[in-house]
Structures are given as C-alpha cells and as structure tokens.
Amino acid sequence: MEHLPPPAEELALLDRELAGLDLRRSQLLHRRAWLLSVLRTPGPLTAAPPPVPAFPLPAGRPPGPFAAPGRPPAPAVRTGGAQNVLLTLGGLLLTVAAIAFTLVSWGQMGIGGRSAVLATVTVAALAAPAVLLRRGLSSTAESLAALASVLMVLDAYALHEVALPETGGLGFAATASAVLAAAWAAYGLALGGLRLPLPAAVLVAQLPLLLWAWAERADALVFAGALLATAALDCAIALWGKGVAVRVTACSGLWVTGGAGLLVALVESLAADAPAGAVAPGALLLAGSAIALSGARRAPAAVAVAGGLAAGLAAVAAVSGVLVAGVPAGWVVPVYLLCGGTLLAGVRAPLGRPAGQGLVWASGAVTAGSVLFSLPPVAVSLAGPVSQLGRVWTGAPQGGARGALGAAGLPWSEMAAAPVVLLVVAAVLAAAYRSWEGVLRWAGPVLSPGPSARGAVGATAPVLGWAGLAVLPAALDVSYTVAVSVQLVLVVGVFAVAVGALRRGMTGVALTASVCGAVGAVGVALLSLGSEAATYAVFGLLLVVFVAAAAALDSAVAPASRPDRVPGAVQAVAAGAAVVCAVVLAGACGASLGLAAHRAAPLILAVPSVTVLLGARLKAHTVALPIEVTGGAAALPALGMAMGDPPFLALVLALCAVLAAGTALRPERRPVAGYLATALFVLASWVRLSASGVSSPEAYTLPVTVAALVIGVLRRRRDPAASSWTAYGAGLAATLVPSLLAAWADPHWLRPLLLGAAALVITLLGARWRLQALLVLGGAVLALDALHELAPYVVQVVGALPRWVAPALAGVLLLAVGATYEKRLRDARRLRDALGRMR
C-alpha cells in the first residue's frame, strides 16, 4: 500500500502538530492562571493589567486570540494571615524553649543566675507589648503577651521548687492562681490593646477557691460554697466586664461553676435526714438562685430565661429540701409540687419579662416532674385489669382492688400521694382554662401564650383528673365492689364531660375526655369479668352510657359542609361500643344458661338482627353505618363459636345470610349485602351437605342451580345491563364447587369426567356469549379438575426425574418470562381488559 506523503514525513508532521497543541494548551493554562490572579487581587475591576511578557510562539504560527503571559504572578498571600501564622509559630517556639530551659537547664545555673535570667526574660516579655502597641504592631504584642503569660506560670513553678519547697502544692497553686489572675487582670487593663490577658485572668480566677478547699480537705458543702462564690465573681465579670471575650469566658465559667455548685448542694439537700441538716444546703441553693436572678436581670433574653429557670429550680429545691426532710417518702412529691406552684408568684416581681418567663418554665418543669413521678400507679391501674382474663367468673378477687389488679405486693405506701398530685394539677389546669383571660391579666407581659395554649391546657386537665381518680381505689385499698363502682361512675362522668364539651364546641377537651372514657370503659369491663353479677351490671350500664352519649351528640354533630367532624366521630365510636357491649351481654346469657359454645352462637346473632333493623330505621344517619358494620362484625364470634359443630355452623351461616339479605333490601346497601347474602347462602348449603355426609351433592344442588339459572335468565331479559355474576354466579357455584370438592375426594373417573365436561361447556358458553361469570367459574373448575386428574402422573414423573430437573425447569421458565416480560405484561393487561368488558 502506498502512502502519500511517505510515512516518515507524515510522522514528522504529526509530531509537529502535537507539539503545537501542547504549546497552545500551556498558553491557555497560563492565561487562565493569570486571569484568576487578577480577579483575586483587590482593586478596581477596570484597572488595566500590568504588562507581562508573552510566551514565544513557534516560527510560522500566528498569535492566538489571547496573548498568554510567560509567567503570571502567584496569588498574593494575605499579609494579616501570614503575619499571624509567623507570630504564632514564633511564640510557640519561644514557649517551648522557655519550658525546656526551666525544666532542663535550670539546675546548671546558680540561684542568682536563675533569678536573673527568669526575671529578665519575664520583664522583657511583659514590657515589650507596650512598646509594640505604640508602634501599631498589635499581633506581635499579642504573641509576646502570650509568651509572658507562660513565663509567669513557669516563674511560679520555679519559685515553689526553689524558694518554697516545703509549702503544700495545692495551697501554693491556689495562691499562685489568685496572684496570676490579679496580675493578668491588671496587666490587661493597663494595656487595653491586648485581647489575651483579661480572658486568661478570668479563666485562672476559676481555680483559687476550689484549690484552697481541696487543700484544706473541706467537705462537700464548702466545695459547693467555693463553686458558688466563683460563680458570683463570674456573674459580676459577665455583667460589667470589658470586652466580648471577657464576658463570654466569664459566662461560660458561670454556667460551669454555678451548675456544679448547685448540683452538689442539691445532692446534700436530698441526703439530709432532718430539717436542720437541709438548712445549709438550702442556703447555698438560695444563694445560687440569687446569683442567677441577678445575672438574668441584665442578660440577653435567651440567657435571662435560662437564668430565671435555674433560679426557680434552685429556690424550689432549697425550700422543699428543708420541708421534706421529715416527711414520709410517699408525700415528698406533693411538697415539691406546692413549692413549684408558689414559684409562680414571682412573675409579679420586677425581674424583667425574660427572667419571669424563666420562673414560669421552672414552675412548669417542677409540675411536669411531679406528674411523671405519679404515673407508675396509674399504669398499674390501667394494665392490671387484663389479669382478669385468666379468671373469668371465678368470683370476687381476694385482696380488694389491689388484688383485682394483681398488684397487691407493690409498695403502695410510697405511691399514696399520686392521686393527690394528679388531682391538684388537674384542678389548677381546669381553673386556668376557665379563667384564661384573668390569668393572662394577672401575669401581665410575662405570659404571652400562643392561640393553641388554652386548648392544650383544657385538654390536659381531664386526662390528669381521670388518671388521679382511676388510681384512687387502689391507693385507698377499697374492696372489689367499691373499685368497680368507682370506675363505673368515673366512666359516666368522663363521658358526660366529653358530651358537654362537644355540645359547647370545646374540641380538645372533648377529644381527651372521650379517649379517657374509652380507656376507662375497657378497664372496668375487664375488671368486671371476675364476677358474673359484675359483668352484667358493668356491661349493662356501659350499654346505657354509650347509647345515651350517642343520642346526646345528635345536636352537636357537624354538618357535612363543615370540616370539624369530631362530634360525628365520637358519636360513631359510642354507637359501635354500645353494639360491642350488647354482644358481650348476649354471650354472657348463653354462658349463664349453661349452653355449649356452638349452641350459644345463635344468641349472638340477636345483636346483628337488631342492628339490621336499626340501620333500616336510621337510614342516612351518622351512626347508621357504624352500627351496621359493628353488628356485622359481631357475627364473626358466632361463627367461631359454631365452628366445632358443622350442623350449627350451617345454621349460623344461613341466619347470617338471612340478615344480609334483609340488609340488601335497601338500595344503598344492596351492592355489598347482596353478594354477601348469596355467598353465605351457598356456603351454608355446602356446610350442610358436608355435615350430612352426602356423597353425591349434585342430587341436592342441581335443582337449586336449575332454578337459580332460570331466575337469572329472566333477570337478564328484564335488565340486560345486569351482571352475569348477579344472574348466574350463585346458581353455578351452588353445584360446581361442591362437585369439585367431591371429585377431588373421588377415586373413580366418572365424576371428574362429567364435571370436566360440564365445566368445559360452561366455559365455552361464557366465551361465546361474553359472560364473565361463566368463563371464570367454568375455567377455574375445569383447570382444577384437570389438575386433580393429572396429579398422580405428575408425581410419578417428578419422582422418576433427577432432582436437578425441577430447579432447572423453573430457571428456564423464569428466563423465558423475564426475556418476554413486557409482552407477557401486555398480554395480561389485554386479558384483564377483555374480562372487564364482559358482563
């Protein structure tokens, strides 16, 4: 093959072109770097760039549109940043050198040399910043001031090691830290341009009192006093200190030392076993509260709220610690609750709005803590009735209310105050809810709640009141009968509150009261299972309560045009609960009569029959559908009870079918109830045939099928739009399904053959006349019948093949389906659409 030009010349040409491209790329990169440096350099954007030497171009090549500079200037380094880095490194190196000199080279010099060197270096380091500040070298002055601070610490260490070795280390450290704090403070005030000495002085000032207390081996109260005294100093510096860094450092120290001091004092107050022993910790807590309040009056809003919160909590702990020192363990929480409530009087004091809000938060925190400590007995009272499920109608439990809850062994003496706490808080919240405007006027600008605050208060009050009353029988250890009676009265009262609130439009109160009533109703219902008489009494009264509540809410139910549907929802739940109570009473009647479970099942159906009549009477009322749905669900326990006896199960199914058929007489219920009645009738006939031991069900089902198909044909003539399932589904299923079940259990060939032929004819007729019911039922029965006939041969073939064949065939099938997935999906959709178009 000939090359034009020759390969050697073409290779040289390519090399020249590649070199030119590399050179051009280098020019563009240099130009880009230069433009970036121009953009980063401060100055007017329109200033002309300085001339730069152009990069030489190869001979014969014209210059490009951009003249690339040969070596653009590097980006300028910020002077301040570089200076700070250099000064920091220099200061660190000098500090390391000073430490090494003090620790290593100190012993090689005499006492005079040592003193002279340290004194000279320290004085020089302290004096140099003043000169540097006058010349405007503030960064250098800061570095030397930091070095001087380290040298002063080393001087103190050297002084202890050489001149005062017999002095205790902790005591000397306390004195040295105090001296250093004072010296650094004076130095920082004298040289106002330095930023480091004053924060360092504040930081070191946290140590003297603590180190002195440690050196004297003081007790915990002295440590708490030292911490609080340091916190007082920090508070003063944070309020009147010079500079933001000083105030931030002092504020941080205040929170650390003050919090630690209050915590130590609180522990000592809680550990006191007599009022006299709690006085000293209480005094420290009050001192800490005063410190927090004094700082909160001048602090920013967020810090002032936190200060008011800390002050309020400390004051409550101080007073309560003295009062509860001689009080029994079960009544400690009410004392704290009382002190926390008294704290609200501080909102009228001239403390400023943020500090007053902190006191309100402190009172709320104490109240919330008291409620939390009172919840365990409430949980026991709610969960305890579940234990009665294992001893239904065995008689009144031993041990009264506590025995009925299965909690006789709990320390109830330590939980005796729980109902008192809950009821007091509920009463206070209810009073605040009723006199909301007056509370806001009394509190003034301290309280500024949002629009939903009142609703939250009103919704919480019924919950706490109900919880306090619910735990009262167990706390007082009353008898079982009294406990059940109290719980019943409580349920009635809570539902009365809920109904009244809904009628007045108080949705939040009504919702929480309704939930409490529902939970209480479940609890007392479970509690009543221990006694037969209690079961009838409780469920009978609950039935009356729920019916009365549903009836009383008629005028409060919101119309469909309003978004508030809470009354209607509560009414529907009450109606459904009434039906449940009726079902339980019907089941209890069967148990009282000594009937077996399957014989008592028809009694349960008395409730669904009543709900069917009520639904027909109420029609479009809000509670009509909940009553009917709950009544229909009540048939499920009846079916479960009759499951052990097939004849009774057939009877129960037939009765359910009659009820569904009665419901289907109403046009609005016909689409669901009609199909349900048909299915139940057919299922009842199948169960009846199976229970009678019929081996040839066709003799009983074919007449029914013929009659049903005739009726279906007449229906389709009168209403061509009627579905094939409505006209022919029940009639075909009445014979096909029992025959299929019989064919699967028949070892002979005649029944499967006749059934398959009949199913094939039905399938073809359904495909010919486009009737969905015939096609689906006939095809399903034909497939299952064929599977029954082929099953023995399939088993034989599978047994003869190697075991790897089955997974291999499955894999091939999956691969084939996956490869043609989209086509199979389209086929399935077309089949679904074709079935959907059939009648």
Side-chain angles (χ1 to χ4, degrees):
M1 179 177 181
E2 259 184 290
H3 292 275
L4 293 175
E9 294 182 9
E10 185 177 359
L11 180 60
L13 180 61
L14 291 177
D15 289 339
R16 285 195 299 270
E17 291 294 330
L18 290 174
L21 290 175
D22 292 339
L23 182 60
R24 183 59 178 160
R25 185 175 184 275
S26 177
Q27 292 173 358
L28 294 176
L29 289 176
H30 279 289
R31 181 68 179 182
R32 181 179 181 276
W34 179 78
L35 290 174
L36 289 176
S37 68
V38 171
L39 293 175
R40 291 172 181 169
T41 302
L45 295 177
T46 57
V52 293
F55 213 128
L57 292 175
R61 179 178 294 275
F66 300 100
R71 183 175 295 176
V77 180
R78 291 185 180 179
T79 305
Q83 182 185 20
N84 290 334
V85 171
L86 294 176
L87 291 174
T88 302
L89 290 176
L92 288 176
L93 290 176
L94 288 176
T95 302
V96 171
I99 295 174
F101 168 76
T102 304
L103 298 178
V104 178
S105 301
W106 184 265
Q108 300 176 3
M109 301 178 64
I111 185 64
R114 301 170 186 173
S115 303
V117 170
L118 278 179
T120 302
V121 175
T122 303
V123 170
L126 289 173
V131 179
L132 294 173
L133 286 175
R134 284 197 298 269
R135 297 188 178 183
L137 301 176
S138 58
S139 298
T140 308
E142 291 286 352
S143 299
L144 289 179
L147 175 62
S149 302
V150 176
L151 289 175
M152 293 177 72
V153 176
L154 294 176
D155 287 338
Y157 170 75
L159 179 64
H160 177 266
E161 292 295 322
V162 175
L164 302 171
E166 70 281 355
T167 307
L170 289 176
F172 181 83
T175 305
S177 59
V179 172
L180 287 174
W184 288 345
Y187 185 69
L189 292 174
L191 301 178
L194 295 179
R195 292 174 295 178
L196 179 64
L198 289 179
V202 175
L203 191 60
V204 176
Q206 314 300 312
L207 301 177
L209 294 179
L210 288 178
L211 293 177
W212 275 325
W214 193 359
E216 296 297 329
R217 297 184 179 181
D219 58 5
L221 288 178
V222 176
F223 265 102
L227 288 167
L228 292 176
T230 306
L233 176 62
D234 291 332
C235 182
I237 297 173
L239 293 177
W240 294 289
K242 180 181 178 182
V244 177
V246 174
R247 293 187 177 186
V248 170
T249 306
C251 191
S252 302
L254 170 62
W255 286 110
V256 174
T257 56
L262 291 177
L263 184 60
V264 174
L266 176 62
V267 172
E268 292 297 315
S269 177
L270 295 176
D273 54 358
V279 171
L284 291 175
L285 289 169
L286 288 177
S289 177
I291 294 171
L293 279 180
S294 63
R297 295 188 62 180
R298 295 186 56 184
V303 179
V305 171
L309 173 62
L313 294 177
V316 170
V319 178
S320 302
V322 177
L323 296 178
V324 303
V327 174
W331 293 92
V332 171
V333 176
V335 175
Y336 279 92
L337 177 63
L338 179 62
C339 294
T342 308
L343 192 63
L344 289 176
V347 300
R348 303 286 295 178
L351 301 175
R353 184 171 179 269
Q357 289 178 337
L359 292 181
V360 173
W361 279 104
S363 178
V366 173
T367 303
S370 303
V371 171
L372 288 177
F373 274 103
S374 304
L375 289 183
V378 178
V380 172
S381 300
L382 295 180
V386 180
S387 62
Q388 297 301 314
L389 291 175
R391 49 185 313 275
V392 178
W393 288 11
T394 57
Q398 298 295 325
R402 297 176 183 176
L405 297 176
L410 295 180
W412 286 98
S413 60
E414 298 180 5
M415 299 185 291
V420 177
V421 171
L422 295 172
L423 292 175
V424 167
V425 176
V428 171
L429 292 179
Y433 178 75
R434 292 181 62 86
S435 306
W436 189 253
E437 298 298 331
V439 171
L440 294 182
R441 285 195 301 271
W442 175 81
V446 173
L447 285 181
S448 56
S452 61
R454 186 185 183 190
V457 170
T460 307
V463 177
L464 297 181
W466 166 77
L469 293 175
V471 77
L472 198 59
L476 298 178
D477 196 19
V478 298
S479 65
Y480 171 72
T481 304
V482 174
V484 173
S485 302
V486 170
Q487 297 292 352
L488 267 178
V489 173
L490 180 58
V491 170
V492 174
V494 171
F495 271 109
V497 172
V499 171
L502 282 176
R503 293 172 68 90
R504 291 192 296 272
M506 296 184 295
T507 306
V509 177
L511 269 179
T512 54
S514 301
V515 172
C516 292
V519 175
V522 173
V524 72
L526 293 174
L527 199 63
S528 68
L529 295 178
S531 170
E532 182 177 358
T535 301
Y536 281 108
V538 168
F539 279 95
L541 183 58
L542 288 178
L543 175 60
V544 174
V545 169
F546 287 130
V547 171
L553 287 174
D554 264 343
S555 60
V557 174
S561 59
R562 285 172 50 190
D564 185 10
R565 306 292 180 86
V566 174
V570 175
Q571 188 182 34
V573 172
V579 175
V580 173
C581 292
V583 171
V584 174
L585 288 174
C589 289
S592 298
L593 295 174
L595 299 177
H598 63 276
R599 295 184 178 275
L603 292 177
I604 303 293
L605 296 181
V607 177
S609 62
V610 174
T611 60
V612 169
L613 297 176
L614 282 175
R617 177 70 177 83
L618 296 173
K619 295 182 180 179
H621 196 277
T622 307
V623 299
L625 182 60
I627 287 177
E628 292 182 78
V629 171
T630 311
L636 296 178
L639 293 174
M641 294 168 63
M643 199 67 70
D645 190 277
F648 264 90
L649 179 59
L651 174 62
V652 171
L653 286 170
L655 292 175
C656 292
V658 171
L659 295 176
T663 305
L665 294 176
R666 298 162 53 193
E668 68 274 13
R669 301 286 188 258
R670 187 170 300 154
V672 176
Y675 288 110
L676 181 61
T678 302
L680 289 174
F681 272 126
V682 173
L683 186 59
S685 64
W686 295 344
V687 173
R688 180 69 259 184
L689 292 175
S690 175
S692 301
V694 175
S695 58
S696 299
E698 293 83 3
Y700 300 89
T701 59
L702 275 176
V704 176
T705 296
V706 171
L709 291 178
V710 170
I711 295 173
V713 170
L714 296 176
R715 168 71 186 278
R716 290 270 296 176
R717 285 182 179 177
R718 218 173 29 240
D719 183 14
S723 170
S724 62
W725 290 99
T726 304
Y728 310 120
L732 292 174
T735 295
L736 289 178
V737 175
S739 298
L740 179 64
L741 296 176
W744 272 67
D746 193 344
H748 304 290
W749 58 271
L750 182 59
R751 185 193 301 275
L753 177 61
L754 295 176
L755 177 62
L760 178 60
V761 171
I762 293 171
T763 303
L764 294 176
L765 290 176
R768 172 66 181 82
W769 292 335
R770 302 183 61 79
L771 298 176
Q772 189 181 100
L774 276 66
L775 182 62
V776 173
L777 284 176
V781 172
L782 180 61
L784 292 175
D785 186 61
L787 178 62
H788 171 263
E789 294 303 308
L790 294 176
Y793 304 103
V794 173
V795 171
Q796 293 178 4
V797 171
V798 171
L801 292 176
R803 295 186 177 181
W804 57 267
V805 174
L809 292 176
V812 171
L813 178 62
L814 291 177
L815 288 176
V817 172
T820 59
Y821 176 75
E822 295 295 336
K823 186 175 184 302
R824 300 285 82 79
L825 192 59
R826 289 193 297 270
D827 293 342
R829 288 172 179 169
R830 284 196 294 270
L831 178 60
R832 181 196 62 188
D833 295 338
L835 285 175
R837 288 191 294 269
M838 292 183 178
R839 290 290 182 183

